[in-house]
Amino acid sequence: MKAVTVIIIFLNFFLNLHAQLYPIPSPSGEIKLLLSTSGYLNFTITRKGEELLQVNKMGFSFKGEPDMGADLTVLSKNEKEVNESWNPVIKSKHELVKNHYKEVVFKMIERSDLKRKLDLEIRVFDDGVAFRYRLYRSGIIGSREITSELTTYSLPAEAKAWVADYKSYSSGQEAEFKPLLLKELKSGVKAGLPLLIEKNIQSYLAIAEAKIVNYPGFYLGLDINTTSGKIALNTLLAPLKGEGDNGVKARFATEITTPWRVIMVGKQPGRLIESEIIQNLNDSCTLSDVSWIKPGISAWDHWWSGEVKMDMPTIKQYIDFAGIQGWPYMLIDWQWYGKFNSPESDITKADSKLNMQELLDYARDRRVKLWLWLYSNDVNRNSAFKDAFALYEKWGIAGVKIDFMERDDQEMVNWYREIIESAAQHHLMVDFHGAFKPDGIIRTFPNMITREGVLGEEFSKFSNRVTADHNLTIPFTRMLAGQMDYTPGGFLNVTREAFKKRSPTEVMNSRAAELAKFIIYESPFTVFSDHPDHVLGQPGADFLKLVPTVWDDIYVPSGYPGEHVVMVKRSGKQYFIGAMNNSTPRKLMLNLDFLPKGVYELTYWSDASDAGKFPTHVIKRKLIVTTTSSIKINMSSDGGYVGILNSIK
C-alpha cells in the first residue's frame, strides 16, 4: 500500500473519530436534516430521501480573531417537539396559525486553545427548516466584531432561481426577481431574499430569514469555491455604515443571536405562499392592548399620479373618497409639513396651506382616520419622533408612513425596532417605505402592519417595469417574507403596447387584474393608489367596497411565477377568489371542493371578451354554485378575475 494512501486512510479515520452525526426529522418524518460536525458544521436536508439542499461551512469570521466553526464538539443537545396553535392579532393568512416542529439546541465548544462557545438551534417543520446561531463574549472585555457569516448553501447548478440583484446594500429593495439557472449567476451578485428555487417540478425551496434583531440583513452571493455540478451561495451581511463590503457587519459586547435562516420547502410554489413559517419563528405579541390596531384600505393623495397638491380641497376630496368607499383611512403623503429632509423640517407642524384640526374633524365626521407620511431623517433628527408621536396620538392619527431608510445594516435594524416600539406606545401603526423586507415582526408588534421593500405600482409613474410578469412573480418571491405595500388600484388600465410613462399614471394590465391584486397581495393596511375621479362610478369600484385586507384562511390551487396565479382566501363565511395572468390569454377551471357543503351565490368580475384590446372592460355576473361545481376563469392578456362566494343554503 502506498504511503499517501495510508496517510489518507489515517486522516479520514482520525476525522471520523471526532465527527458526530445528528439526524433531525420533521414531525411527519417527510423532511429530514442530518447535521455533521466533521470539519466545519454542515447539514443536508432531504425530503422522502431526495436531497434538497446542503448547508456548509457554518461559522463566522471576526476582526482580530481566527475563524470559528470548524473543530467544534457538542457539549450537550436539548430536544423537544412543539405542537401548538396561536391566533394572530393581524390575520395576514390565517385566523389560527399552526406551529408544529421538532427542535434541537446544540451547545458546542472549540477543541482549540481558544475554547470559544457557540449554540446552534435547529427547528424542522413539515414545510421547512430554520436554524440560528448564538455567540458569546470573548476572553477580551469589549465588543466582538463579526466581519462575515461563513454559511453557504449548496444546490444543483441546473436549479432555477428567481433572483433580485440589489447590487448595493443601500437600497429600498425595489427590483424584479428574474428567473435564471443558478449556473448563470454572476460574480458580485447580491441576491435579495426570499430566494425562490425550483430544484425540479416537484421540489421548490425558498431561502429567507426571520426575526431580525440587533443584526444586519442577509443576502446571497456566488461562492467561487464549489464542487462539480453544484453552485454554492454564500451569506452576505449588510456592513455597518462606513465599513464597506469587507468591513465589520455586527458588533456585540454580550451575547448575540442571529436571525433565523429559513429554508421553506414545498411541492408547488403555491404551498410556500400558504406557509406561516416566518411568523412562527417570531415571538408572541408583546402588546397588552391591541384594540386600536385596525387593518383596512386607505385612500392616498395625488403623489402617485405625480401631482402633489397640498391644499385643503384636495385632501378633503380624498377623505370623501375613503368615506364613500367605506374605507377607514386616508394617507396624507409628502409635503404635509412643508419642507422635508432638512434641518428646518418640523414634523409637528402642518404646512401653512393645511389646517390640521379642520382636516381631523372633517375626517372624523366621515368615519375616516388619517395617516401621515414622514421622512426618516426628519423623524430621527434630535429624536423628533418622541414629541411627534405623542402629539399624533392626541390628534387621533392612526399611523405613520416613514420613508427613505434604504439600509438594513445592524444600526438600521435596531432603529426600526425603536420606532416600532415608540409608535406602539402612542397607539400608532407603522408602514415603512424605502424599507427592507419584513421578517415576521408583525406577530410580535402587530402595529408594524405593512411595509414596502417591493417594486410596486408607483413605478408605473416613471418606468415600464411594472409588467404582469413582475406582478405574477412577487407573490412567489418577495411576498413569502410577509406584507408588502405595493399600493394597487390603478384604474387607468391600458395594454402593454399602449402604455406610456405619463401623468396621470397608467397601468399595463386589465381592470379585473387590478382588482385581483387586492386579494392576492398580502397587506393588512392596503394603500389605494388612484384618484377618486378615475374610480368612482367605474366598473370594479363596487368590489373595492367589499374586499377585506385580512383573512381567516388561504389556499393557492394553481400558479407559477411570472405566468399565472389563482388564490382563494376566506373572510368569515365569505370566500374570495383572485386570479391574474401574464401576456398569454388563459382559461382555467377551478373546482369548488374546498368549500363546506352547501349552495353558494358567486358574484364575479372578469375580463370582458375584448379586454385584450380594451383593458378597462369588465363583466360582472352572478352564478349559483355548489361544492361539486367547477367555475371557468377566463383571462385576457395581462388579465384577471375576482369572485366572491356567499353561502345561501
Side-chain angles (χ1 to χ4, degrees):
M1 187 179 290
K2 294 182 179 179
V4 67
T5 304
V6 173
I7 292 171
I8 291 171
I9 293 172
F10 174 77
L11 286 173
N12 286 333
F13 175 75
F14 179 77
L15 289 172
N16 287 329
L17 281 176
H18 292 285
Q20 295 166 295
L21 298 175
Y22 299 93
I24 309 171
S26 68
S28 70
E30 184 170 306
I31 295 176
K32 292 182 180 177
L33 181 148
L34 183 63
L35 175 72
S36 171
T37 61
S38 175
Y40 275 91
L41 293 172
N42 63 92
F43 66 75
T44 301
I45 302 172
T46 59
R47 190 186 69 202
K48 293 184 176 180
E50 176 196 359
E51 181 182 304
L52 299 177
L53 177 84
Q54 291 179 347
V55 174
N56 305 307
K57 203 175 182 183
M58 301 170 69
F60 296 86
S61 293
F62 301 94
K63 188 174 181 178
E65 298 180 40
D67 287 356
M68 182 182 187
D71 197 31
L72 289 164
T73 187
V74 174
L75 293 172
S76 67
K77 66 184 182 79
N78 297 310
E79 303 178 52
K80 68 177 181 181
E81 181 172 348
V82 172
N83 188 2
E84 63 184 9
S85 298
W86 55 279
N87 298 104
V89 174
I90 300 297
K91 302 177 294 182
S92 294
K93 298 180 185 179
H94 299 100
E95 63 177 336
L96 183 68
V97 178
K98 296 179 181 179
N99 188 24
H100 192 189
Y101 59 87
K102 289 191 176 180
E103 176 187 274
V104 182
V105 179
F106 297 90
K107 291 189 175 295
M108 303 182 182
I109 192 169
E110 291 177 309
R111 294 187 182 89
S112 68
D113 292 339
L114 289 176
K115 299 296 182 186
R116 295 174 296 182
K117 290 184 177 181
L118 174 147
D119 296 350
L120 176 63
E121 185 176 355
I122 297 174
R123 293 182 184 177
V124 184
F125 302 76
D126 286 328
D127 60 352
V129 167
F131 65 97
R132 64 179 177 179
Y133 307 95
R134 184 172 180 81
L135 296 167
Y136 294 87
R137 303 176 194 230
S138 72
I140 300 173
I141 296 170
S143 294
R144 297 178 77 185
E145 297 180 316
I146 298 172
T147 56
S148 179
E149 187 177 322
L150 301 176
T151 311
T152 63
Y153 302 79
S154 184
L155 289 142
E158 298 294 330
K160 185 178 181 180
W162 283 261
V163 179
D165 184 1
Y166 292 126
K167 303 186 185 304
S168 169
Y169 297 113
S170 299
S171 81
Q173 299 193 354
E174 297 164 308
E176 297 90 337
F177 289 78
K178 297 180 179 179
L180 49 75
L181 300 182
L182 286 178
K183 67 181 182 182
E184 297 172 335
L185 277 174
K186 303 296 184 184
S187 179
V189 66
K190 292 180 175 67
L193 304 185
L195 179 70
L196 176 67
I197 299 159
E198 179 185 77
K199 185 176 180 289
N200 55 55
I201 59 171
Q202 290 197 342
S203 294
Y204 291 86
L205 312 170
I207 301 174
E209 63 180 326
K211 195 181 177 184
I212 310 171
V213 180
N214 191 30
Y215 203 81
F218 163 32
Y219 302 74
L220 288 165
L222 180 63
D223 192 328
I224 59 173
N225 300 310
T226 184
T227 58
S228 177
K230 295 285 186 74
I231 294 294
L233 304 176
N234 59 351
T235 298
L236 304 176
L237 300 177
L240 287 165
K241 195 172 181 181
E243 284 289 333
D245 286 9
N246 298 318
V248 176
K249 309 305 192 304
R251 293 189 177 98
F252 63 102
T254 56
E255 292 79 28
I256 193 169
T257 301
T258 71
W260 289 100
R261 280 65 185 96
V262 185
I263 299 103
M264 304 171 73
V265 178
K267 294 179 182 177
Q268 297 91 30
R271 300 291 81 79
L272 304 182
I273 295 174
E274 297 167 1
S275 174
E276 291 278 17
I277 193 170
I278 300 294
Q279 283 205 87
N280 275 331
L281 291 163
N282 279 264
D283 295 336
S284 300
C285 179
T286 63
L287 306 181
S288 57
D289 174 22
V290 294
S291 60
W292 51 276
I293 303 174
K294 304 287 187 183
I297 298 178
S298 176
W300 182 27
D301 62 50
H302 273 279
W303 185 88
W304 178 83
S305 291
E307 303 168 16
V308 177
K309 293 183 180 179
M310 202 50 62
D311 57 45
M312 295 294 285
T314 297
I315 303 303
K316 286 183 177 181
Q317 183 182 21
Y318 281 92
I319 293 171
D320 287 338
F321 182 33
I324 292 167
Q325 289 293 108
W327 300 338
Y329 302 117
M330 189 265 153
L331 166 63
I332 308 178
D333 213 274
W334 64 349
Q335 300 189 33
W336 76 266
Y337 58 90
K339 194 172 185 179
F340 57 87
N341 192 25
S342 165
E344 299 148 22
S345 301
D346 187 345
I347 62 174
T348 66
K349 294 180 181 178
D351 182 81
S352 60
K353 300 184 187 69
L354 300 182
N355 183 319
M356 183 56 69
Q357 190 57 56
E358 183 180 337
L359 289 175
L360 291 165
D361 293 341
Y362 189 85
R364 189 179 301 111
D365 290 344
R366 286 148 185 81
R367 298 186 177 182
V368 173
K369 288 192 171 185
L370 300 181
W371 280 64
L372 298 176
W373 176 92
L374 301 167
Y375 200 104
S376 57
N377 291 348
D378 300 333
V379 172
N380 191 63
R381 188 181 299 106
N382 300 317
S383 300
F385 67 91
K386 294 182 179 180
D387 290 338
F389 287 0
L391 177 64
Y392 299 163
E393 183 177 22
K394 291 179 182 177
W395 284 355
I397 297 298
V400 289
K401 170 184 170 181
I402 304 177
D403 209 343
F404 293 108
M405 288 74 68
E406 298 182 340
R407 289 164 42 201
D408 61 348
D409 56 82
Q410 183 186 32
E411 292 175 341
M412 184 58 77
V413 165
N414 292 341
W415 188 85
Y416 271 47
R417 200 170 188 89
E418 181 184 15
I419 294 300
I420 293 165
E421 291 181 4
S422 179
Q425 291 169 8
H426 295 288
H427 303 100
L428 294 170
M429 291 177 279
V430 178
D431 174 7
F432 282 131
H433 269 233
F436 64 84
K437 65 192 178 302
D439 64 337
I441 195 175
I442 192 172
R443 178 183 182 185
T444 311
F445 291 96
N447 65 310
M448 179 62 261
I449 196 165
T450 195
R451 71 177 71 182
E452 194 184 31
V454 66
L455 179 65
E457 191 112 292
E458 68 180 15
F459 273 78
S460 293
K461 179 174 60 176
F462 39 76
S463 79
N464 60 359
R465 296 167 63 189
V466 189
T467 63
D469 310 70
H470 167 72
N471 293 334
L472 285 159
T473 299
I474 53 177
F476 300 97
T477 51
R478 160 60 181 82
M479 201 172 76
L480 300 182
Q483 304 72 28
M484 58 182 197
D485 189 14
Y486 172 97
T487 64
F491 263 45
L492 300 183
N493 311 105
V494 298
T495 64
R496 292 194 193 204
E497 296 75 20
F499 175 81
K500 291 183 179 179
K501 295 174 286 184
R502 54 189 168 193
S503 182
T505 307
E506 298 173 340
V507 179
M508 60 174 102
N509 54 241
S510 77
R511 176 72 51 79
E514 199 64 31
L515 301 179
K517 294 173 186 176
F518 288 83
I519 297 174
I520 292 167
Y521 293 163
E522 178 183 330
S523 190
F525 175 63
T526 298
V527 179
F528 185 90
S529 57
D530 216 333
H531 191 283
D533 289 348
H534 301 159
V535 180
L536 295 175
Q538 296 301 311
D542 53 347
F543 171 78
L544 296 171
K545 293 182 177 182
L546 305 173
V547 63
T549 61
V550 289
W551 308 97
D552 296 320
D553 206 358
I554 180 175
Y555 167 50
V556 185
S558 177
Y560 189 83
E563 291 188 2
H564 82 282
V565 66
V566 180
M567 202 173 292
V568 179
K569 292 185 176 180
R570 179 175 65 85
S571 175
K573 294 184 178 180
Q574 288 186 311
Y575 289 79
F576 288 74
I577 303 166
M580 292 195 302
N581 185 47
N582 64 5
S583 59
T584 303
R586 197 177 308 266
K587 296 183 179 181
L588 300 171
M589 297 296 295
L590 177 63
N591 295 328
L592 301 182
D593 52 6
F594 57 84
L595 294 169
K597 287 186 178 180
V599 180
Y600 295 81
E601 181 181 69
L602 169 65
T603 304
Y604 67 90
W605 294 253
S606 69
D607 294 322
S609 59
D610 59 355
K613 293 184 178 180
F614 304 101
T616 59
H617 290 190
V618 178
I619 295 171
K620 179 184 177 183
R621 288 182 181 157
K622 294 181 183 290
L623 192 65
I624 302 301
V625 297
T626 70
T627 53
T628 61
S629 300
S630 296
I631 60 173
K632 296 178 181 179
I633 297 177
N634 294 333
M635 293 183 284
S636 69
S637 174
D638 302 330
Y641 175 101
V642 294
I644 306 174
L645 289 154
N646 287 290
S647 175
I648 56 177
K649 281 187 185 179

